[in-house]
């Protein structure tokens, strides 16, 4: 081999190395981007709190014992503490850059924790001021209100002078994703309930019962075509078929979780059918013949001999399908809608995690931080599912020799 | 119970069944056939219902607004003349051009990278690296499109914005043809790589051995013999990649900028695709502004069909080399 040839070969090989590195770079860039933007908000509270802030107008009962808790050591420099009321307040900015007062700490014996009631509820049920809440206004009986625009220090000073107040306006921080997580779980459950039986039965029919003829071929290719249809088209179908259907037969009055699950089920059918069929194909014919020869009928053979061998395939299909449900956005935007909700009903609108991101990104201004946090959660789940699929198919695939 | 037994006996007689088992077999088989027919019917349902809604703007007078002219719709260079709820002057001509233009460039970027990566995984890389890269490609394929959209609107938009600045062009925060091309190129890369790899691996070993025996080096064989033998499979990869690029919705809509007229051919101009147009203005739930979305969906399906047919035609012309 000439030296020139060697050099040229090396260059060609180098090009393939460079091309292959693109995939690695892209994947790591996606990870780094999403994690650096999203990890700031990532905590357990996020998945248990509501998205929409809740407003409270609270009154207070007569206080006979004020707080005695000393200032906790872990409070920051610019946090103001009132020993009398047992709360710590700080100035901060919300996402739109407006100044707000956040509650940093509430002591156990604080009157604001034990003696407040909700003025808007009929039976004046007790409520508590909690850490993370945002304080709006405190209205007093005999002097002007303390407003949040004058800052945390002013508000605490005003509060310290008094022994009671007429009304405290505060609201929860919001920005949680509890509702979207519940919706996503509903969607996964309902979609699987619809798609798994139909998909598995179809795969069994195509692989076990179907005669080899034109009709079977047409059925097969009609299912095959579904794989190439973009998800937004499935969304349009959901809007045109499943939404009217659910509106007619359920209490729903517009896009809802059931119509979304039906749409997703159609998207997932080809995935489930193909994966199940693959695993049915590797079951040797000798198994079927042996079962039939022992006097079992076709049904028994299918359910007791063939299907158990297909379990890993069905499991793989289920895992892949769950990943698709979590990641799907375009179809659900049409089939359910984009309104982020906290109280979830399967007959009502709400967003899955992916659509939640879309809603946040199309808002003005876009909430990239929370969107990235949700993306982190989605990425971790989807990638874990994919690795799990690899493990399952490696471990459970029976080798028939 | 006797009632049921009687029924079964009657049923057996009618269909010439000999035993209860055969009746069960028949019922199970029919039930399975019905699920199969249901699965297969969805493609028909999709076409019928979208077509049915999609033609409404062209055949009715849309509550007094007037019929949409099909020719003007297909060739129009403005999405909507006049105001929503009042006008029937919709046009998607420029959007069709935008969509094809963007997908073509995405494919142009993604094809060489994807095919070379596939060649690397299948033929050049050591086993461990190949296995690692295969996992990376699978994971890339599994990343949901909304995450690509988020990544695109966060990172790629900034990149394009700064690039435009270097060229002295004012871009709308980076929303541009180039941003869409880049995002789509990333999204179809795993599809193309995975399918090309399968095509490359199924090239008949005899051809390779023949080339090596004639004195060609490994690299020469890989590039000149293996790649050209796998070209039919690589073409299939391109067809699937193009399908994905044409139909991708959420990620594109986040970086396109939603141009209302066009076509947008300059790389730093804002643009719009068929899918991003469908995702626009979701607030309407009635009337022409709602139905027109189905018309755009119909156009999208036709565009995908035609581009698939064209590529399949080219694939046949390119010809097939002996593969396993």
């Amino acid at each position: 081999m000439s030296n020139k040839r060697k050099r040229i070969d090396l260059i060609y090989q180098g090009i393939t190395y460079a091309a292959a590195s693109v995939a690695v770079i892209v994947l790591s860039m996606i990870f780094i981007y999403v994690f650096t933007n999203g990890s700031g908000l990532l905590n357990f509270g996020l998945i248990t709190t509501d998205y929409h802030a809740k407003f409270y107008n609270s009154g207070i009962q007569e206080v006979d014992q004020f707080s005695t808790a000393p200032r906790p050591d872990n409070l920051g420099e610019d946090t103001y503490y009132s020993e009398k009321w047992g709360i710590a307040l700080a100035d901060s900015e919300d996402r739109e850059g407006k100044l707000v007062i956040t509650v940093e700490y509430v002591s156990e014996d604080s009157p604001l924790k034990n003696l407040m009631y909700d003025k808007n509820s009929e039976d004046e049920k007790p409520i508590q001021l909690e850490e993370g809440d945002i304080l709006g206004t405190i209205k007093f009986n005999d002097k002007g209100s303390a407003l949040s625009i004058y800052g945390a220090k002013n508000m605490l000073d005003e509060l310290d002078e008094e022994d009671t107040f007429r009304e405290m306006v505060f609201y929860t921080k919001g920005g949680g994703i509890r509702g979207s997580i519940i919706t996503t779980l509903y969607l996964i459950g309902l979609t699987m309930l619809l798609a798994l039986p139909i998909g598995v039965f179809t795969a069994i029919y195509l692989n076990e019962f179907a005669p080899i003829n034109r009709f079977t071929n047409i059925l097969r290719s009609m299912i095959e075509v579904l794989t190439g249809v973009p998800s937004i088209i499935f969304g349009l179908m959901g809007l045109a078929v499943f939404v009217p259907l659910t509106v007619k037969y359920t209490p729903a009055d517009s896009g809802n979780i059931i119509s979304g699950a039906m749409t997703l089920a159609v998207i997932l059918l080809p995935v489930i059918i193909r994966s199940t069929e693959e695993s049915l194909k590797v079951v040797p014919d000798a198994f079927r013949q042996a079962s039939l020869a022992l006097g079992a009928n076709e049904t028994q053979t299918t359910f007791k001999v063939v299907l158990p061998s297909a379990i890993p395939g069905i499991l793989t299909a289920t895992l892949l399908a769950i990943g698709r449900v979590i990641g799907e956005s375009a179809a659900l935007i049409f089939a359910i809608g984009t309104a982020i909700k906290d109280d979830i009903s399967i007959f009502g609108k709400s967003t899955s995690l992916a659509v939640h991101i879309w809603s946040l990104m199309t808002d003005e201004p876009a909430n990239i931080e929370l969107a990235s946090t949700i993306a982190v959660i989605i990425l971790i789940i989807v990638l874990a599912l994919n690795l799990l699929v690899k493990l399952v198919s490696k471990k459970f695939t029976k080798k028939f020799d | 119970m006797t009632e049921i037994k009687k029924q079964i006996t009657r049923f057996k007689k009618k269909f010439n069944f000999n035993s209860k088992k055969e009746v069960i077999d028949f019922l199970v088989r029919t039930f399975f056939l019905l699920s199969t027919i249901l699965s297969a019917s969805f493609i028909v349902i999709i076409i019928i219902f979208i077509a049915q809604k999609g033609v409404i703007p062209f055949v009715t007078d849309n509550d007094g607004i007037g019929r949409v002219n099909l020719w003007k719709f297909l060739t129009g260079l403005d999405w909507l003349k006049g105001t929503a709820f009042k006008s029937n002057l919709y046009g998607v001509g420029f959007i069709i051009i935008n969509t094809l233009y963007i997908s073509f460039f995405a494919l142009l970027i993604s094809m060489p990278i994807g095919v070379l990566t596939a060649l690397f995984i299948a033929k050049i890389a050591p086993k461990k690296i190949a296995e690692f890269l295969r996992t990376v490609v699978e994971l890339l394929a599994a990343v949901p499109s909304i995450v690509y959209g988020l990544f695109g609107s966060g990172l790629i938009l900034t990149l394009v914005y700064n690039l435009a600045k270097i060229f002295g062009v004012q871009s709308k925060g980076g929303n541009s043809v180039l941003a869409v091309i880049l995002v789509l190129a990333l999204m179809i890369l795993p599809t193309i790589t995975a399918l090309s790899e399968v095509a490359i691996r199924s090239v008949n070993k005899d051809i390779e051995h023949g080339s090596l025996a004639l004195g060609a080096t490994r690299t020469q064989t890989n590039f000149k013999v293996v790649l050209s033998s796998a070209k039919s499979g690589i073409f299939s990869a391109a067809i699937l990649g193009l399908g994905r690029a044409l139909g991708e919705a959420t990620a594109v809509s986040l970086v396109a900028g939603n141009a209302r007229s066009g076509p947008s051919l300059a790389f730093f101009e804002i643009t719009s695709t068929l899918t991003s147009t469908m995702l626009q203005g979701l607030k309407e739930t009635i009337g022409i502004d709602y139905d027109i979305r189905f018309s755009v969906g119909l156009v999208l399906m036709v565009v995908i069909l035609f581009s698939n047919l064209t590529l399949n035609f080219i694939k046949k012309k390119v010809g097939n080399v002996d593969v396993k």
Side-chain angles (χ1 to χ4, degrees):
Chain A
M1 212 187 321
S2 70
N3 268 337
K4 194 181 157 207
R5 185 70 249 165
K6 259 186 192 162
R7 270 204 302 278
I8 293 173
D9 279 6
L10 216 62
I11 292 169
Y12 271 96
Q13 274 200 14
I15 293 173
T16 64
Y17 272 86
S21 62
V22 170
V24 182
I25 292 169
V26 169
L27 188 67
S28 23
M29 263 165 60
I30 291 176
F31 264 83
I32 292 168
Y33 176 79
V34 169
F35 272 88
T36 46
N37 279 292
S39 55
L41 286 178
L42 195 64
N43 61 49
F44 193 72
L46 185 76
I47 59 175
T48 55
T49 51
D50 288 346
Y51 178 71
H52 298 285
K54 277 210 180 76
F55 283 80
Y56 293 104
N57 295 20
S58 64
I60 191 160
Q61 296 160 17
E62 202 171 306
V63 186
D64 40 50
Q65 177 76 55
F66 284 99
S67 169
T68 52
R71 180 188 168 103
D73 299 329
N74 55 359
L75 290 180
E77 285 274 306
D78 43 4
T79 304
Y80 304 100
Y81 183 71
S82 156
E83 200 174 300
K84 179 177 174 186
W85 293 92
I87 57 166
L89 301 179
D91 294 308
S92 64
E93 276 181 16
D94 68 0
R95 219 168 45 76
E96 275 99 38
K98 256 187 356 208
L99 283 174
V100 292
I101 298 176
T102 53
V103 177
E104 298 286 311
Y105 169 77
V106 186
S107 74
E108 279 307 313
D109 58 354
S110 165
L112 299 176
K113 197 158 205 164
N114 306 316
L115 294 171
M116 288 216 294
Y117 59 87
D118 189 354
K119 276 188 146 179
N120 294 337
S121 70
E122 274 178 21
D123 49 353
E124 302 199 329
K125 69 173 194 247
I127 49 171
Q128 304 179 336
L129 192 67
E130 275 170 34
E131 281 156 42
D133 286 351
I134 291 163
L135 214 49
T137 315
I138 302 176
K139 293 171 185 162
F140 299 104
N141 289 323
D142 48 3
K143 65 176 181 182
S145 305
L147 303 174
S148 63
I149 45 169
Y150 298 124
K153 185 166 189 318
N154 168 272
M155 187 168 274
L156 271 189
D157 290 345
E158 297 270 349
L159 188 60
D160 273 342
E161 287 171 14
E162 301 287 319
D163 286 344
T164 183
F165 52 82
R166 185 156 54 88
E167 185 177 299
M168 178 184 274
V169 180
F170 68 95
Y171 46 101
T172 58
K173 206 171 168 201
I177 56 170
R178 189 180 61 88
S180 297
I181 286 181
I182 294 173
T183 305
T184 310
L185 292 176
Y186 269 135
L187 279 175
I188 292 172
L190 284 172
T191 308
M192 288 302 139
L193 211 64
L194 294 168
L196 261 188
I198 301 178
V200 171
F201 291 158
T202 303
I204 292 176
Y205 179 78
L206 287 176
N207 202 58
E208 303 291 318
F209 296 112
I212 301 169
N213 59 20
R214 227 192 133 106
F215 180 63
T216 310
N217 278 340
I218 291 174
L219 286 179
R220 218 179 254 283
S221 46
M222 278 165 83
I223 295 168
E224 198 58 39
V225 172
L226 275 185
T227 10
V229 177
S231 64
I232 192 164
I233 297 289
F234 285 108
L236 287 182
M237 179 201 58
L239 191 60
V241 183
F242 295 137
V243 172
L245 203 69
T246 46
V247 167
K248 198 165 178 194
Y249 294 106
T250 69
D253 56 1
S254 61
N256 56 75
I257 293 183
I258 299 177
S259 64
M262 286 169 149
T263 311
L264 286 172
V266 178
I267 298 180
L268 295 178
L269 270 180
V271 179
I272 293 171
I273 293 171
R274 187 187 293 165
S275 180
T276 311
E277 235 194 313
E278 294 288 307
S279 59
L280 288 175
K281 266 185 200 148
V282 295
V283 179
D285 267 346
F287 282 26
R288 299 185 182 95
Q289 285 153 5
S291 164
L292 290 172
L294 285 169
N297 60 349
E298 266 186 340
T299 311
Q300 286 169 324
T301 310
T302 303
F303 281 101
K304 297 198 172 148
V305 178
V306 179
L307 205 53
S309 326
I311 294 292
I314 296 170
L315 195 61
T316 314
T318 311
L319 293 176
L320 284 175
I322 291 174
R324 279 290 293 271
V325 173
I326 294 171
E328 186 52 60
S329 48
L332 289 179
I333 289 171
F334 283 115
I336 304 186
T338 58
I340 300 169
K341 288 280 160 69
D342 288 319
D343 299 316
I344 307 300
S345 145
I346 56 170
F347 302 121
K349 287 192 169 196
S350 54
T351 54
S352 76
L353 288 171
V355 182
H356 196 138
I357 297 183
W358 199 79
S359 291
L360 293 172
M361 294 303 291
T362 46
D363 255 4
E364 286 293 336
N367 187 349
I368 291 195
E369 205 184 3
L370 182 56
S372 302
T373 310
I374 303 173
V376 169
I377 297 172
I378 291 184
L379 265 185
I380 290 174
I381 299 174
V382 170
L383 300 187
L385 280 173
N386 264 270
L387 295 175
L388 203 62
V389 165
K390 276 200 138 182
L391 211 73
V392 167
S393 50
K394 241 184 208 162
K395 239 192 166 141
F396 291 98
T397 308
K398 285 189 185 163
K399 297 251 165 16
F400 302 105
D401 294 315
Chain B
M1 271 322 271
T2 47
E3 200 41 42
I4 297 171
K5 265 182 190 160
K6 254 188 219 163
Q7 285 278 338
I8 291 175
T9 341
R10 256 175 50 205
F11 194 69
K12 272 188 214 161
K13 268 189 193 145
K14 202 171 164 193
F15 286 94
N16 277 330
F17 291 126
N18 293 318
S19 67
K20 201 173 120 197
K21 274 185 179 176
E22 280 188 28
V23 178
I24 293 173
D25 267 1
F26 176 78
L27 291 177
V28 167
R29 187 189 269 263
T30 315
F31 181 66
F32 283 9
L33 175 63
L34 285 179
S35 348
T36 310
I37 291 174
L38 179 67
S39 305
S41 66
F42 282 118
I43 185 71
V44 182
I45 293 175
I46 289 174
I47 293 170
I48 288 177
F49 274 86
I50 294 179
Q52 188 203 17
K53 287 229 169 197
V55 296
I56 289 176
F58 305 106
V59 293
T60 65
D61 77 337
N62 301 307
D63 298 328
I65 295 168
R67 220 162 49 81
V68 177
N69 183 316
L70 179 62
W71 177 249
K72 276 189 185 156
F73 177 71
L74 289 177
T75 56
L77 298 182
D78 290 284
W79 167 238
L80 176 60
K81 273 188 200 148
T83 44
F85 299 110
K86 284 197 183 121
S87 167
N88 63 352
L89 297 171
Y90 279 97
V92 291
F94 75 102
I95 304 178
I96 298 175
I97 298 172
N98 283 349
T99 308
L100 289 171
Y101 182 77
I102 285 167
S103 304
F104 170 74
F105 276 99
L107 206 58
L108 201 68
I109 296 177
S110 228
M111 272 310 276
I113 300 177
V115 172
L116 287 174
T117 308
L119 184 69
F120 180 74
I121 295 174
K123 294 284 170 196
I124 297 169
K127 241 188 183 163
K128 280 216 171 125
I129 296 180
E131 197 49 50
F132 168 72
L133 274 173
R134 223 170 265 142
T135 313
V136 167
V137 171
E138 269 166 34
L139 292 185
L140 270 182
V143 172
S145 71
I146 188 74
V147 176
Y148 277 105
L150 177 66
F151 175 71
S153 65
L155 210 67
I156 292 179
L157 285 191
T158 326
L159 191 84
V160 172
Y161 181 75
N162 290 327
L163 200 67
K165 246 194 206 160
I166 294 171
F167 283 100
V169 188
Q170 191 66 38
S171 69
K172 261 196 177 164
N175 287 298
S176 60
V177 176
L178 183 62
V180 182
I181 291 175
L182 288 176
V183 169
L184 280 181
L186 295 185
M187 295 187 69
I188 62 177
L189 183 64
T191 314
I192 290 174
T193 310
L195 285 167
S196 302
E197 198 219 325
V198 174
I200 288 170
R201 271 197 302 175
S202 59
V203 169
N204 200 331
K205 279 273 183 324
D206 291 347
I207 302 180
E208 250 177 274
H209 292 160
S211 161
L212 290 173
L214 283 170
T217 61
R218 267 249 154 246
T219 312
Q220 275 176 313
T221 309
N222 282 341
F223 275 86
K224 298 206 169 137
V225 179
V226 174
L227 275 191
S228 60
S229 305
K231 66 188 164 193
S232 155
I234 292 173
F235 241 93
S236 308
I239 293 172
L240 249 119
L242 185 70
R244 195 170 174 193
L246 289 172
E248 183 44 55
T250 36
V252 169
S253 74
L254 291 178
V255 295
N258 291 306
R260 296 213 152 240
S261 60
S264 333
L265 300 179
F267 273 10
F268 293 119
E269 232 177 300
I270 56 166
T271 183
S272 58
T273 65
L274 289 168
T275 49
S276 78
T277 309
M278 270 189 264
L279 284 172
Q280 272 303 295
L282 286 163
K283 302 228 158 41
E284 300 101 20
T285 51
I286 198 162
I288 181 176
D289 305 300
Y290 171 79
D291 294 327
I292 202 81
R293 207 164 288 136
F294 289 91
S295 314
V296 178
L298 212 54
V299 172
L300 174 66
M301 278 156 73
V302 174
V303 167
I304 291 178
L305 189 71
F306 266 101
S307 51
N308 272 11
L309 288 178
T310 316
L311 279 182
N312 268 312
F313 178 73
I314 301 173
K315 185 179 148 191
K316 271 201 186 121
K317 285 263 163 189
V318 166
N320 217 341
V321 186
D322 180 27
V323 286
K324 246 193 298 195

